[in-house]
Amino acid sequence: MAIFVDKNSKVIVQGITGREGAFHTQRMLAYGTKIVGGVTPGKGGTTIESGQPVFDTVKDAVEATGATHSIIFVPPFAGADALWEAYDAGIALAVCITEGIPAHDMLRVVNTTPGMRIIGGNCPGVISPGKSLIGIMPGHVFKEGNVGMISRSGTLTYEIVDGLTRAGFGQSTCVGIGGDPIIGTTFVDCLRAFANDPETEAIVVAGEIGGSDEEDAAAFIKEHITGKPVIGFIGGRSAPKGKRLGHAGAIISGNTGTPESKVKAFAEAGVPVADRPSDIPKLLASRLKPVPA
Amino acid sequence: MAIFVDKNSKVIVQGITGREGAFHTQRMLAYGTKIVGGVTPGKGGTTIESGQPVFDTVKDAVEATGATHSIIFVPPFAGADALWEAYDAGIALAVCITEGIPAHDMLRVVNTTPGMRIIGGNCPGVISPGKSLIGIMPGHVFKEGNVGMISRSGTLTYEIVDGLTRAGFGQSTCVGIGGDPIIGTTFVDCLRAFANDPETEAIVVAGEIGGSDEEDAAAFIKEHITGKPVIGFIGGRSAPKGKRLGHAGAIISGNTGTPESKVKAFAEAGVPVADRPSDIPKLLASRLKPVPA
Amino acid sequence: MKLMEYQGKDLFRRVGIPTPSGVYATAAGDVASYIAAHPGSWVLKSQVMMGGRGKAGGIKFADDAQHGEALARELFGKVLKSIQNPDGEEVKSLLVEEKVDIASEAYVSIAIDRAARKPVVLVTAQGGMDVEEVAERDPGAIEKYWIDPAMGYSPFIGRKLAFDAKLPEGYRKAFPSILGALYTLFMDYGANLVEINPLVLTKDGRVIASDAKVELDDNGLYKHPDIAKWNKEQPTDDDQAAAVAIGLGMSNYAKLPDEDGRIGSVGVIANGAGLGMGTMDAVKNAGGGAANFLDIGGGAQADLVKKSYNLVTSDPRVKAMFINIFGGITRGDQVAKGIVEALAGDDVRKVPLVVRLTGTNAEEGRAILAQAGFVPVETMDEGAARAVALASGGK
Amino acid sequence: MKLMEYQGKDLFRRVGIPTPSGVYATAAGDVASYIAAHPGSWVLKSQVMMGGRGKAGGIKFADDAQHGEALARELFGKVLKSIQNPDGEEVKSLLVEEKVDIASEAYVSIAIDRAARKPVVLVTAQGGMDVEEVAERDPGAIEKYWIDPAMGYSPFIGRKLAFDAKLPEGYRKAFPSILGALYTLFMDYGANLVEINPLVLTKDGRVIASDAKVELDDNGLYKHPDIAKWNKEQPTDDDQAAAVAIGLGMSNYAKLPDEDGRIGSVGVIANGAGLGMGTMDAVKNAGGGAANFLDIGGGAQADLVKKSYNLVTSDPRVKAMFINIFGGITRGDQVAKGIVEALAGDDVRKVPLVVRLTGTNAEEGRAILAQAGFVPVETMDEGAARAVALASGGK
């Protein structure tokens, strides 16, 4: 099972012959991801060195390969266009790696692509360890298992996952939802999927200061997640109020968005919040049995 | 039963204090329609002479009255706005009487109001005889019964219905879908509803030259309507090709839209086409038993 | 509202669609001075509404000012005729445009698809000819795409269409943005149709709209007063003008052409376009033909009925009239009053009249007519038969 | 990108939002000549980014040219200070505007609601003060509406909000079109926030945007080059400029303020904003504080690592540095190479350094560091503790 992607997911790469696209295509193939082709307008009919066919349009690629998943490596100005093209071609899930897509482009995209799951933009992607990696994550850090993981950041996710893996907690699926103001998939969307995934037995939610995703997640957990322990984490708790730190999402505004608000929301939902990433495996250990490597 | 409206439909009138709105509100009330209120911005808090409350917004009206249906009498430039306001307030079915709404306004409206049924614009409305009239039709012509009737025109509908009523064929529901290029409800939408309505035992489709609604209806009938006789009629068969006659919809273009194309499509669907309105009751009589008045 | 080529190209330039360089001219001297100032090869294109102006001799080529002036003099005032337009249309203005070296001609249009209720884009690499011809001969050569108005246009649509329609490679870079601009024009100006045929790829690699066909929705024109006033500069439909003059909508009155040598001789007045068409059909079913058709709309008062009577009888072909009213909003007494008033006047041509009056206030109306010594018929079929008989001299 | 009031009003006028008459001035003489040419009562408004300019003495009233000139001379060059902005901001330009007779002040804004992923409109009849204040004191007075971007704005939204927020009747006619124009601005220019506070109803019945607050999305600025260049006319954030100068994104480097009398003394470099924040947290958890924060992003090469080292140590508060790398795309050997190169140079200030290196090519990186006589730590917590100890003079 896992969520969003599994080993049968057929993936195309939008921007497969670009620098980033080409590099990560090889990394994903090495991980075992079923990359069935890619798209670069004007290069249709060719193949990349590792043998995957290149198409002019996503529609052509989907028709020829039966792809259901897409990963997008295009410049920011072409991000919305790539997502709409994926939607138009019937792609079920699109991972958008591109950073810096205008917020208004995403605003329009997320409100006009009903039924397609978009992960990102500005995200590291999604991995169901041992099955498939659709993203730019370092696959070797992850290990197959029963912990679902969702995070707003990239490298902090690797830090946390590394700790989980070393402590014997493998992962069902890890989703990096991205740090932009408007993203396709929220914590709540992931929690809903994890709640229905029999393979996932515990969940780690790695949030950040700013926005209200964590508060929304806490409310959802309180209402809908039973029988699966959830551990929370809030990055940036030491950040000064109002200072913008890398992620546009991490601006503290009003009363939601503060670390206090988020910790309180989690507490009310019965979710223990780890003070540091290294505490997460400890909190998990009292609720779920680790599986020795 | 009937379709779209029944005697429990709670109706508000958008533009209730305007000339047309006020006039037809009284006619509908006289027919027995449950008009529970109306909307005229700036006149909220007042009541019209017959006692119905007036609200500033559709939302206010819906919240106060529980209305589910709306009928719209506003100038053409305000047509799209009125439909969107109805949608926003949760109205389930809106009858748009307004003639001359820009086609592009309707194009945007019909593509952004999923789940709301729009009838019209530029239509005479819908009536379930003996139950409710939401429109500008002369109620006395209609009679409760088991024939479903759909038509692109207004007065021609009355002509046909008058003949049906005189011949003992009452109607379950009559829908005037309107003659504009972009309308909210098509023949096919009505046919689908009639197919599922146990009260409707036969259907009359009164089409016109131009467009492809009749061809689409014929294809739907062939595929989905069984056990309910359907009689067709095509208005304007004597019209010269290419001449615009009142309804913008009635421009003959290409190969669809000609009377020949429509008659042929109906014939292929096993639908007899009446040469004149007065033939419709005759064609019906051999397929359905009239109920004497 | 149909726009002329030079008007369509004005809109093209507003949204950023490349057009050939040139000038719009209404006098031969202007043509000469423009060419003199811009030496080269120029095309003189007659600005008319009708199609097939090329075959009709409305397009000429000039290589110098003198030649250009001579050709312009020849074109101004010329009446171009075609099979579709036997009456012809007078040339009142010209578009003088650079003669481009054509490498390839494509076709692109956006229209409203009524059934899908979405804008539909049509593209084919076979431009420069009638697209209906292409559709008939090689339907697979036309690519279609339905745009979701909620999502709007995005460049992938143009890329996809260019690839699928196999446009030559030279189009690829420019096409998505040209189609985007065309969609902007289509939506922002409320067009029923925008068409570029041909969309030319020049030998020096430019992609240019060589022709422009734009048809705007009349109902949306109020949003664009600057364009609405172009209407006045254009040949107006006499029927539309006549209808508007008496307070009806533009398309509420139409004279019908004589077809197959048969002359329609029954004037038709009805309330509602549908009933009007039904009435015309009834006249034909009765063995006759309608000469014209007037829809008095809903709720007509006596005065409008009178004016309508006068308008319909102003058509000399009308030998008898059939007024067919099914009262809904329209009240029978008002219609009857109007008829009696019209017949009372001395300033109108009177023809034998058949009236059918039913629905709201029909009794009152019939009483008014009876008082004036007039007996209405009972049904539409009966009325049509009577009118046809009267028109052919019967009683 | 935050716009100044006069820039926001420039955009307001482009979309048709009424603004007071007036002039933008950068010299006292211009103020004088404008008032001389337009006798009446005028307001001189300092054009600064900071809030609370009124309390800080940045707004003055003048009734004639001489008075206006004197006040302008006083304002130009003045440094306005507020609680939020203790360093102050120098007044370099003024907006001279008609002094309107205020009947009522309302508030309206549109912002992106991240959670709903829709634009949200806020309206209250209690304008002219901080909306956060209203939210706290009388939350029911603020009406909200989430606009569906697929449907867009339609006037009923403005009508509904005006009624629900109980705006005085004088607003009713103008408000729906002003809000429509504001939405157009919000969407067309890619704004994070557009705010009119106050939206004034004047005693003579006009509805006017008395102030303008516009914040545009930096990622969408490339679509508006004319506005993007305004950025250059504005005070730039030094940290942003420094980050861009070495090839990073604008928000990849930030100096952190000293809080509660505590001075942060650990320089932080990490790959990724999330890990960077985590690293700062770890420093705090270890009893210390970060002085700044630099995100080298993904896939950094040695040269960038070197430049980043230099930038971070250029902050004199930095007493020790913690470089925390979790190699994904970023390769440990490249980072190690950059560190060694940075330390090799003579042109940089060197501080005690703690490195944590794991993930992709971590072994190779550790080998490079070892060769330079440097032993990395194993975990983030360990590294943070070490850095804090070093920063406070420990070993």
Side-chain angles (χ1 to χ4, degrees):
Chain A
M1 278 289 291
I3 68 166
F4 299 160
V5 299
D6 64 27
K7 64 178 175 217
N8 297 316
S9 303
K10 289 185 179 177
V11 184
I12 54 162
V13 179
Q14 291 180 248
I16 194 167
T17 61
R19 198 170 59 90
E20 294 282 301
F23 175 70
H24 289 288
T25 296
Q26 293 313 313
R27 282 171 55 105
M28 288 186 279
L29 282 168
Y31 192 78
T33 305
K34 276 199 182 154
I35 306 273
V36 295
V39 178
T40 297
K43 297 204 174 160
T46 65
T47 55
I48 59 172
E49 234 175 275
S50 48
Q52 285 73 24
V54 181
F55 301 91
D56 287 322
T57 68
V58 179
K59 189 95 168 191
D60 286 350
V62 166
E63 279 172 4
T65 66
T68 51
H69 289 53
S70 166
I71 179 165
I72 294 172
F73 296 95
V74 299
F77 74 85
D81 187 53
L83 284 162
W84 273 322
E85 182 172 6
Y87 177 73
D88 180 69
I91 288 290
L93 184 147
V95 171
C96 184
I97 303 299
T98 306
E99 184 181 347
I101 297 175
H104 279 255
D105 286 6
M106 286 304 290
L107 204 54
R108 289 173 53 227
V109 167
V110 299
N111 283 287
T112 54
T113 51
M116 178 168 82
R117 174 154 305 288
I118 296 171
I119 297 177
N122 189 16
C123 82
V126 53
I127 179 171
S128 294
K131 294 167 185 147
S132 185
L133 159 64
I134 309 184
I136 58 171
M137 296 146 158
H140 60 87
V141 175
F142 297 80
K143 190 185 124 189
E144 192 161 1
N146 56 5
V147 177
M149 161 95 192
I150 42 186
S151 169
R152 271 164 72 184
S153 94
T155 40
L156 188 62
T157 310
Y158 316 155
E159 180 79 41
I160 294 170
V161 167
D162 190 43
L164 289 174
T165 298
R166 284 172 199 271
F169 294 106
Q171 304 91 40
S172 54
T173 302
C174 298
V175 189
I177 63 170
D180 274 356
I182 304 290
I183 51 174
T185 293
T186 62
F187 280 163
V188 168
D189 296 324
C190 298
L191 287 167
R192 190 175 288 122
F194 278 135
N196 295 323
D197 176 34
E199 201 180 320
T200 300
E201 293 175 27
I203 305 167
V204 173
V205 181
E208 268 177 21
I209 53 168
S212 64
D213 295 16
E214 292 74 13
E215 285 86 342
D216 296 341
F220 182 87
I221 292 163
K222 196 174 176 182
E223 199 70 32
H224 298 105
I225 308 256
T226 50
K228 298 189 182 189
V230 182
I231 310 295
F233 176 79
I234 311 290
R237 287 164 74 174
S238 66
K241 202 172 153 153
K243 197 82 190 175
R244 189 174 179 141
L245 293 169
H247 282 191
I251 305 169
I252 306 184
S253 58
N255 284 327
T256 64
T258 63
E260 295 73 28
S261 155
K262 291 174 192 300
V263 170
K264 184 163 165 263
F266 275 139
E268 282 172 7
V271 174
V273 179
D275 280 332
R276 55 201 87 197
S278 51
D279 289 346
I280 294 173
K282 296 174 204 160
L283 288 170
L284 207 48
S286 64
R287 290 163 176 84
L288 188 74
K289 229 175 117 97
V291 181
Chain B
M1 280 287 291
I3 67 166
F4 299 160
V5 298
D6 63 28
K7 64 178 175 219
N8 297 316
S9 304
K10 288 186 180 178
V11 183
I12 54 161
V13 180
Q14 291 180 246
I16 195 168
T17 62
R19 198 171 59 89
E20 293 282 301
F23 176 70
H24 288 288
T25 296
Q26 293 312 314
R27 284 171 53 104
M28 289 186 279
L29 283 168
Y31 193 78
T33 306
K34 276 199 180 152
I35 306 273
V36 295
V39 178
T40 296
K43 299 205 176 161
T46 64
T47 55
I48 59 172
E49 237 175 272
S50 48
Q52 286 72 26
V54 181
F55 301 91
D56 286 323
T57 68
V58 179
K59 189 97 169 187
D60 286 350
V62 166
E63 279 171 4
T65 67
T68 51
H69 289 53
S70 167
I71 179 163
I72 293 171
F73 296 95
V74 300
F77 74 85
D81 188 52
L83 284 161
W84 274 321
E85 182 171 8
Y87 177 74
D88 180 68
I91 288 289
L93 184 147
V95 172
C96 184
I97 303 298
T98 306
E99 184 180 347
I101 297 174
H104 278 256
D105 286 7
M106 286 303 292
L107 204 54
R108 290 173 52 228
V109 167
V110 299
N111 283 287
T112 53
T113 52
M116 177 168 82
R117 174 154 305 289
I118 296 171
I119 297 177
N122 189 16
C123 81
V126 53
I127 180 170
S128 295
K131 294 165 185 148
S132 186
L133 159 64
I134 309 183
I136 59 172
M137 295 147 159
H140 61 86
V141 175
F142 297 81
K143 190 186 124 188
E144 191 160 358
N146 57 6
V147 177
M149 159 95 193
I150 41 185
S151 169
R152 271 165 72 184
S153 94
T155 41
L156 188 62
T157 310
Y158 316 156
E159 180 78 41
I160 294 170
V161 167
D162 191 43
L164 290 173
T165 298
R166 285 173 198 271
F169 293 106
Q171 304 91 42
S172 54
T173 302
C174 297
V175 189
I177 63 170
D180 274 357
I182 304 290
I183 50 175
T185 294
T186 62
F187 280 163
V188 168
D189 296 324
C190 297
L191 287 167
R192 191 175 287 120
F194 277 134
N196 295 324
D197 176 35
E199 202 181 317
T200 301
E201 292 175 26
I203 305 165
V204 174
V205 181
E208 268 178 21
I209 52 169
S212 63
D213 295 17
E214 292 74 13
E215 285 87 342
D216 296 342
F220 182 87
I221 292 164
K222 197 173 174 182
E223 199 70 32
H224 298 105
I225 308 257
T226 49
K228 299 190 182 189
V230 182
I231 311 294
F233 176 77
I234 311 291
R237 285 164 74 174
S238 67
K241 199 169 157 158
K243 197 80 190 174
R244 188 175 180 142
L245 293 170
H247 283 189
I251 304 168
I252 306 185
S253 58
N255 284 326
T256 63
T258 63
E260 295 73 30
S261 154
K262 291 174 192 300
V263 170
K264 184 163 165 263
F266 274 140
E268 281 172 7
V271 174
V273 180
D275 281 333
R276 56 200 85 198
S278 53
D279 290 346
I280 294 172
K282 297 174 204 163
L283 288 169
L284 208 49
S286 64
R287 291 162 174 86
L288 189 73
K289 230 174 118 96
V291 181
Chain C
M1 174 185 179
K2 282 186 186 173
L3 301 190
M4 287 215 205
E5 179 191 9
Y6 77 96
Q7 297 170 324
K9 284 183 172 167
D10 179 337
L11 297 190
F12 279 12
R13 283 185 291 269
R14 292 189 197 183
V15 296
I17 297 171
T19 57
S21 66
V23 72
Y24 173 67
T26 52
D30 295 345
V31 175
S33 56
Y34 183 82
I35 296 179
H38 304 81
S41 294
W42 295 92
V43 193
L44 276 56
K45 301 163 92 177
S46 299
Q47 295 301 291
V48 287
M49 280 296 169
M50 59 179 271
R53 63 180 169 177
K55 278 187 191 164
I59 295 179
K60 303 284 179 190
F61 299 88
D63 285 324
D64 59 51
Q66 200 188 343
H67 188 206
E69 182 165 8
L71 289 172
R73 280 193 201 291
E74 189 185 308
L75 285 172
F76 282 121
K78 185 173 177 177
V79 175
L80 303 180
K81 293 185 183 182
S82 71
I83 299 169
Q84 294 83 20
N85 196 350
D87 290 346
E89 189 178 341
E90 190 189 331
V91 178
K92 291 174 178 165
S93 63
L94 297 175
L95 193 53
V96 182
E97 279 190 343
E98 60 171 320
K99 185 163 173 286
V100 293
D101 280 336
I102 295 171
S104 194
E105 295 183 312
Y107 168 98
V108 55
S109 70
I110 310 178
I112 295 181
D113 182 331
R114 295 167 39 143
R117 293 185 287 196
K118 288 192 162 59
V120 60
V121 184
L122 265 61
V123 176
T124 172
Q126 301 178 28
M129 69 188 94
D130 204 335
V131 71
E132 281 85 358
E133 238 181 277
V134 181
E136 210 156 295
R137 200 171 26 79
D138 188 8
I142 300 178
E143 289 294 329
K144 294 181 186 175
Y145 187 90
W146 285 264
I147 297 181
D148 175 1
M151 181 193 288
Y153 178 80
S154 197
F156 83 85
I157 297 170
R159 280 203 308 274
K160 183 176 153 39
L161 284 166
F163 282 117
D164 291 351
K166 300 187 175 59
L167 298 193
E169 208 174 327
Y171 281 100
R172 260 182 224 164
K173 198 164 177 295
F175 190 75
S177 65
I178 288 176
L179 182 55
L182 197 63
Y183 183 75
T184 300
L185 195 167
F186 179 81
M187 293 303 283
D188 287 1
Y189 291 90
N192 292 325
L193 172 73
V194 288
E195 186 183 270
I196 308 178
N197 187 21
L199 178 68
V200 165
L201 173 65
T202 65
K203 288 193 177 146
D204 58 353
R206 292 177 295 155
V207 180
I208 301 184
S210 183
D211 199 355
K213 192 169 172 184
V214 176
E215 194 181 321
L216 303 180
D217 173 25
D218 293 327
N219 287 335
L221 272 185
Y222 73 89
K223 299 180 185 178
H224 307 281
D226 58 325
I227 292 169
K229 73 170 198 279
W230 290 354
N231 232 344
K232 292 173 194 154
E233 305 161 11
Q234 285 186 23
T236 318
D237 184 309
D238 293 338
D239 294 351
Q240 292 184 357
V244 170
I246 65 167
L248 290 170
M250 275 208 301
S251 53
N252 278 38
Y253 175 64
K255 282 210 280 285
L256 304 177
D258 299 326
E259 279 188 306
D260 312 328
R262 293 180 338 116
I263 296 173
S265 54
V266 176
V268 169
I269 294 179
N271 61 325
L275 186 62
M277 288 199 290
T279 309
M280 284 165 40
D281 293 349
V283 168
K284 192 164 194 175
N285 283 335
N292 57 25
F293 155 85
L294 187 147
D295 167 13
I296 57 168
Q301 301 291 306
D303 182 55
L304 179 63
V305 176
K306 186 183 163 187
K307 284 176 179 159
S308 297
Y309 181 96
N310 293 357
L311 175 55
V312 167
T313 55
S314 73
D315 180 348
R317 297 173 305 170
V318 171
K319 306 292 182 220
M321 189 178 326
F322 181 18
I323 301 182
N324 186 16
I325 303 297
F326 202 113
I329 323 174
T330 307
R331 289 161 51 186
D333 55 333
Q334 286 292 337
V335 174
K337 232 176 112 193
I339 293 170
V340 171
E341 281 173 19
L343 292 176
D346 285 334
D347 51 341
V348 295
R349 185 169 80 90
K350 281 166 205 154
V351 296
L353 174 67
V354 180
V355 180
R356 187 269 191 128
L357 205 57
T358 188
T360 309
N361 290 14
E363 290 315 308
E364 292 87 335
R366 284 157 169 269
I368 292 168
L369 289 175
Q371 215 165 7
F374 200 89
V375 184
V377 296
E378 289 294 318
T379 69
M380 180 161 76
D381 293 344
E382 190 189 336
R386 249 317 292 262
V388 170
L390 287 168
S392 55
K395 176 81 200 165
Chain D
M1 174 187 182
K2 281 187 188 173
L3 302 190
M4 288 215 202
E5 179 191 9
Y6 76 97
Q7 297 169 325
K9 283 183 173 166
D10 178 336
L11 297 190
F12 278 12
R13 283 186 290 271
R14 292 190 197 184
V15 296
I17 296 171
T19 57
S21 66
V23 72
Y24 174 68
T26 53
D30 295 344
V31 174
S33 55
Y34 183 81
I35 296 179
H38 304 82
S41 294
W42 295 92
V43 194
L44 276 57
K45 301 163 91 177
S46 299
Q47 297 301 292
V48 288
M49 279 296 169
M50 59 179 271
R53 63 180 169 178
K55 279 187 190 163
I59 294 179
K60 303 283 178 191
F61 299 87
D63 284 323
D64 59 50
Q66 202 187 342
H67 188 205
E69 181 164 9
L71 289 173
R73 278 192 202 291
E74 189 185 307
L75 285 171
F76 283 121
K78 183 173 179 177
V79 176
L80 303 181
K81 291 185 183 181
S82 71
I83 300 169
Q84 293 83 20
N85 197 348
D87 290 347
E89 188 178 341
E90 189 188 333
V91 179
K92 291 175 179 165
S93 63
L94 298 174
L95 193 52
V96 182
E97 279 189 347
E98 59 171 320
K99 186 162 170 288
V100 292
D101 280 338
I102 296 171
S104 192
E105 294 183 314
Y107 167 97
V108 55
S109 70
I110 309 177
I112 294 180
D113 181 331
R114 293 167 40 142
R117 292 184 286 196
K118 288 191 163 56
V120 60
V121 184
L122 265 60
V123 177
T124 171
Q126 301 179 29
M129 68 188 95
D130 205 334
V131 72
E132 279 87 357
E133 240 180 276
V134 181
E136 210 157 294
R137 198 172 28 77
D138 187 6
I142 300 178
E143 289 294 329
K144 294 181 187 175
Y145 188 91
W146 285 264
I147 296 180
D148 174 2
M151 181 193 288
Y153 177 80
S154 197
F156 83 86
I157 297 170
R159 280 202 310 274
K160 183 176 154 41
L161 284 166
F163 282 118
D164 291 351
K166 298 188 177 57
L167 298 194
E169 208 175 326
Y171 281 101
R172 258 181 226 165
K173 198 165 176 296
F175 189 76
S177 65
I178 288 176
L179 182 55
L182 197 63
Y183 184 74
T184 299
L185 196 168
F186 179 81
M187 293 302 284
D188 287 1
Y189 290 91
N192 292 325
L193 172 74
V194 288
E195 185 183 270
I196 308 178
N197 188 21
L199 179 67
V200 165
L201 174 64
T202 65
K203 287 192 178 148
D204 57 354
R206 291 178 296 156
V207 179
I208 301 183
S210 184
D211 199 356
K213 192 168 170 183
V214 175
E215 193 181 322
L216 303 180
D217 173 25
D218 293 328
N219 288 335
L221 272 185
Y222 73 89
K223 298 180 186 180
H224 306 282
D226 58 325
I227 293 170
K229 74 172 197 281
W230 290 353
N231 232 346
K232 290 174 195 151
E233 304 162 11
Q234 286 186 23
T236 316
D237 184 310
D238 292 338
D239 294 351
Q240 291 184 357
V244 171
I246 65 167
L248 289 170
M250 275 208 302
S251 54
N252 278 38
Y253 175 66
K255 282 208 279 283
L256 304 178
D258 297 328
E259 279 186 307
D260 313 327
R262 295 181 333 116
I263 296 173
S265 55
V266 176
V268 170
I269 292 180
N271 61 325
L275 187 62
M277 287 200 290
T279 309
M280 284 165 42
D281 293 349
V283 168
K284 191 163 196 177
N285 282 336
N292 57 24
F293 154 83
L294 188 145
D295 168 13
I296 56 168
Q301 301 290 306
D303 182 55
L304 179 62
V305 176
K306 185 183 165 188
K307 285 176 178 160
S308 297
Y309 182 97
N310 293 356
L311 176 54
V312 168
T313 55
S314 73
D315 178 349
R317 298 174 304 170
V318 170
K319 306 291 181 220
M321 185 171 335
F322 181 17
I323 300 182
N324 185 15
I325 303 297
F326 201 112
I329 321 173
T330 307
R331 290 162 49 187
D333 54 335
Q334 285 292 336
V335 174
K337 231 177 111 193
I339 293 170
V340 171
E341 280 173 19
L343 294 175
D346 285 332
D347 50 343
V348 293
R349 184 168 82 89
K350 281 168 205 151
V351 295
L353 173 68
V354 180
V355 180
R356 186 269 191 129
L357 204 57
T358 187
T360 310
N361 289 15
E363 290 315 306
E364 292 85 335
R366 285 158 167 268
I368 291 167
L369 290 173
Q371 215 168 6
F374 200 90
V375 183
V377 297
E378 286 296 317
T379 70
M380 179 161 77
D381 293 344
E382 189 190 338
R386 240 348 263 273
V388 170
L390 288 167
S392 54
K395 177 79 204 170

